[in-house]
Amino acid sequence: MKLKKFLTFTLAALTACATLSLAACDDTEEVQAPTDVAAVSEETVGESGIKIIKDVALTAEDYAFAIRKDNTELLEDVNGLLQEWEEDGSLDTLINSYFDGTATFSYENKTSTPQEGDFIMATNAYFPPFESVKGSKFTGVDVEIAYKFAKEFGKTLFVYDMEFDSIIPSVQTGKSDIGMAGMTVNETRLQQVNFATSYYSSSQVISVAADNTLFDECETALEIEEILSSLGEDFVIGTQNATTGHMYALGNADFGYNGFPNLTVKSYNTGALAMKDLQNGKIDAVILDLQPSLMIVESMDTDDKSVFEIFYDQFIVHEGYKNFFTGLGNTMMIAVFGLLIGFALGCVLVTVKLIPSKNILVRILSKICDLYVTLFRGTPMVVQLLLMHFALFPAMGLDISSVVEAMIIFGMNSGAYISEILRGGINAVDRGQMEAGRSLGFGFTRTMTRIILPQAIKNILPTLGNEFIALVKETSVVSFIAVMDLTKSFQNIAAATYEYFIPYIALAAVYLVIVLLISKLVKMMEKRLAKNERK
């Protein structure tokens, strides 16, 4: 990219940041995409630089909705409604309206977190036309069907947008009532959840760069598979993680797929990201469901728009600014409360570890604290989030919002690090200070809180600032438990047009501004504390 163009894009991204900061397999009939949709897609292939081998189905599969094993009442109700809508033709009409572009339905959650009695739909909203996000609103076949379910049940719909491989655990643990994300039925999934009646038949297709002629003469899946089997590890296939296409490429016994062990398979959180890498020449092919492939490729061409038109479309027309403020608020709440909880917990941990070991109880507590610190420092944050959200908290009967869960988990994680930071700061204080406190008649706790800790905090303030900065940046993993953080909000903004450059440059700029503000605040506090020191 030429320097001038790069500077133009960068200037637009910084303008975006400034603007944002100022704006406060059953009886279901197979449903096929109308031919006019395919024709429109064919015309846009050259513009996007991607060619979809849409006439050759690599697989045949059925989509269905996932429901918790013991929730047989919901399963019967959902199956009954699907049968009713199939018989009167309204289901086919609804589905086809998204294929021919006549659908107008969109839905915005009424609250930021699900409320008691809500009908909670778990999904991954990057799979058009079945589910997608436009600003703060969700749309797609599955979203409209979920809305109709909720209306029939007399409930309010709440759309829980999460990573695709978190959907079934969310349904299993009762965090969500139903999983709706173009999900294919297989034996492994049937062991975990029940599936309602199939409502749509689909297939996987392969997409390549427009100038790639490898598969142009192929008329059957076998011919494509023979070519793929003849290629080496230098040929990279992109897939969406945990989806049928991913299993097809890697191989999966439940589906009967042998896979292509000779190739390199790269997994992405969304099919759109895989398509973007294909467009950028980073991978050689994408295997994804037919209709999402067509719609993603159709939406990827923005070359005829200026930088400011793209920004206006993403942030204003599609109301991306709403996502931004929601994500920013959640990120800062999780980081701030995580630091406060972590500091309080760190003080307790370090106090226990520094108490003179005069009896066996103190020694046992000290060992427990050591184990706690080891566990939380030795495992990734995302593992802790998934373990507690999907396993430990449900087992304990805790029914709290994902944002509050994130605050608690981040606080528990931060507590392990802050305890070690405090221990280092306390050890840096002259030992005579403790003796001086004792000589004044202070006990251990009073000496620690009145004399030692204030001096230690002054020593560790820069390190605490670094811990706060780390917490802010680590919040980018909370989307695994369906929390809209700053990173997730910009992913949603980008998903409106599949143009990633401007949102991601803006995202980096926002994080940079936050870090600079925190650093400035820490320096101001250091100067203020330094005034109390003797000259």
Side-chain angles (χ1 to χ4, degrees):
M1 183 181 291
K2 294 181 179 179
L3 180 60
K4 184 177 180 181
K5 188 174 181 182
F6 177 79
L7 292 174
T8 303
F9 270 75
T10 304
L11 178 61
L14 294 175
T15 304
C17 295
T19 303
L20 287 170
S21 62
L22 291 173
C25 310
D26 290 287
D27 293 329
T28 304
E29 181 181 353
E30 181 174 337
V31 181
Q32 300 292 346
T35 54
D36 58 340
V37 174
V40 171
S41 301
E42 188 78 20
E43 292 173 3
T44 60
V45 164
E47 297 174 8
S48 66
I50 295 175
K51 176 169 54 182
I52 302 170
I53 314 301
K54 60 184 178 58
D55 294 327
V56 182
L58 301 178
T59 66
E61 59 204 67
D62 293 309
Y63 292 168
F65 306 137
I67 298 173
R68 187 171 173 169
K69 281 284 187 183
D70 59 2
N71 199 346
T72 55
E73 181 180 352
L74 178 59
L75 180 65
E76 292 174 359
D77 290 341
V78 166
N79 282 338
L81 288 171
L82 287 175
Q83 182 178 356
E84 177 185 330
W85 297 338
E86 178 193 350
E87 290 174 352
D88 64 18
S90 60
L91 181 61
D92 286 1
T93 300
L94 186 155
I95 294 174
N96 285 311
S97 70
Y98 286 90
F99 291 165
D100 61 23
T102 60
T104 58
F105 176 85
S106 64
Y107 182 79
E108 185 172 4
N109 286 330
K110 308 305 179 188
T111 54
S112 59
T113 57
Q115 305 299 302
E116 186 176 354
D118 282 356
F119 183 68
I120 304 174
M121 166 198 182
T123 192
N124 178 248
Y126 301 93
F127 198 67
F130 294 92
E131 42 270 322
S132 59
V133 60
K134 303 293 184 184
S136 59
K137 296 179 180 179
F138 297 94
T139 187
V141 172
D142 291 345
V143 180
E144 185 167 354
I145 291 176
Y147 176 78
K148 289 168 69 70
F149 284 154
K151 192 173 180 181
E152 290 285 344
F153 303 150
K155 296 184 175 183
T156 299
L157 175 65
F158 186 89
V159 182
Y160 235 153
D161 184 19
M162 60 185 68
E163 303 299 329
F164 184 81
D165 48 4
S166 295
I167 293 173
I168 286 182
S170 182
V171 174
Q172 275 184 301
T173 57
K175 293 282 185 181
S176 303
D177 295 303
I178 191 168
M180 305 174 70
M183 194 172 294
T184 305
V185 182
N186 66 22
E187 290 301 319
T188 299
R189 289 172 178 170
L190 281 170
Q191 294 174 9
Q192 301 168 319
V193 293
N194 284 327
F195 280 95
T197 303
S198 172
Y199 69 104
Y200 181 77
S201 295
S202 184
S203 62
Q204 299 293 308
V205 295
I206 190 167
S207 302
V208 294
D211 59 356
N212 187 322
T213 60
L214 270 176
F215 309 103
D216 283 4
E217 303 301 321
C218 295
E219 296 181 355
T220 66
L222 181 60
E223 291 175 335
I224 290 180
E225 289 169 356
E226 287 176 350
I227 293 174
L228 290 175
S229 298
S230 69
L231 299 172
E233 61 181 12
D234 291 340
F235 192 86
V236 183
I237 293 179
T239 65
Q240 183 176 352
N241 188 42
T243 62
T244 304
H246 183 67
M247 298 172 190
Y248 174 83
L250 283 179
N252 185 279
D254 287 342
F255 281 88
Y257 301 146
N258 295 323
F260 305 96
N262 51 308
L263 304 179
T264 299
V265 178
K266 188 175 181 180
S267 62
Y268 295 81
N269 286 338
T270 70
L273 290 175
M275 286 292 189
K276 194 65 180 179
D277 260 6
L278 176 59
Q279 186 182 48
N280 292 335
K282 295 183 178 296
I283 59 178
D284 300 293
V286 171
I287 295 178
L288 190 66
D289 303 61
L290 171 61
Q291 199 60 35
S293 295
L294 293 171
M295 297 197 73
I296 289 170
V297 169
E298 274 186 46
S299 304
M300 287 179 70
D301 177 44
T302 55
D303 289 343
D304 58 339
K305 293 184 179 180
S306 70
V307 171
F308 295 101
E309 286 175 328
I310 295 172
F311 164 71
Y312 184 80
D313 191 25
Q314 290 179 322
F315 288 86
I316 308 302
V317 174
H318 292 295
E319 299 182 332
Y321 66 90
K322 290 185 178 179
N323 274 336
F324 168 76
F325 287 117
T326 299
L328 178 63
N330 286 339
T331 288
M332 296 312 298
M333 279 197 300
I334 293 169
V336 169
F337 281 96
L339 184 69
L340 294 175
I341 294 170
F343 184 78
L345 187 56
C347 288
V348 173
L349 291 172
V350 75
T351 300
V352 171
K353 292 173 71 172
L354 292 177
I355 291 176
S357 303
K358 293 182 179 180
N359 58 63
I360 189 170
L361 178 60
V362 173
R363 290 198 294 271
I364 291 173
L365 289 175
S366 181
K367 293 295 182 183
I368 292 174
C369 291
D370 287 336
L371 178 62
Y372 179 94
V373 171
T374 300
L375 287 174
F376 277 89
R377 293 178 70 192
T379 55
M381 174 65 79
V382 68
V383 173
Q384 296 166 22
L385 280 169
L386 294 173
L387 177 63
M388 295 190 190
H389 178 79
F390 291 117
L392 295 183
F393 285 172
M396 295 166 61
L398 292 178
D399 186 16
I400 53 181
S401 73
S402 294
V403 174
V404 175
E405 282 183 344
M407 292 178 188
I408 294 171
I409 297 166
F410 269 70
M412 294 172 70
N413 177 277
S414 183
Y417 288 92
I418 290 178
S419 68
E420 291 301 292
I421 293 171
L422 283 169
R423 188 166 67 87
I426 289 170
N427 288 337
V429 177
D430 191 280
R431 292 185 179 182
Q433 298 292 313
M434 176 64 75
E435 296 172 0
R438 290 298 184 92
S439 67
L440 293 173
F442 289 0
F444 175 83
T445 302
R446 195 175 180 187
T447 303
M448 183 66 69
T449 57
R450 296 290 185 88
I451 300 175
I452 305 299
L453 276 179
Q455 296 179 67
I457 290 173
K458 188 184 297 183
N459 294 334
I460 66 171
L461 189 58
T463 312
L464 280 179
N466 289 337
E467 174 66 13
F468 187 31
I469 290 171
L471 285 175
V472 170
K473 291 187 287 188
E474 285 178 351
T475 57
S476 60
V477 302
V478 296
S479 61
F480 280 90
I481 60 171
V483 174
M484 173 79 77
D485 71 297
L486 198 54
T487 299
K488 179 70 170 178
S489 70
F490 277 91
Q491 288 176 342
N492 286 355
I493 290 168
T497 61
Y498 301 108
E499 169 55 52
Y500 294 91
F501 184 85
I502 293 175
Y504 285 174
I505 285 291
L507 173 62
V510 171
Y511 273 120
L512 180 60
V513 169
I514 292 173
V515 169
L516 291 176
L517 289 175
I518 294 173
S519 300
K520 182 68 174 177
L521 178 62
V522 170
K523 287 181 180 179
M524 289 172 60
M525 294 175 67
E526 286 184 88
K527 288 182 179 180
R528 187 173 184 84
L529 290 173
K531 291 180 180 180
N532 296 325
E533 297 179 358
R534 290 187 177 181
K535 303 294 184 182

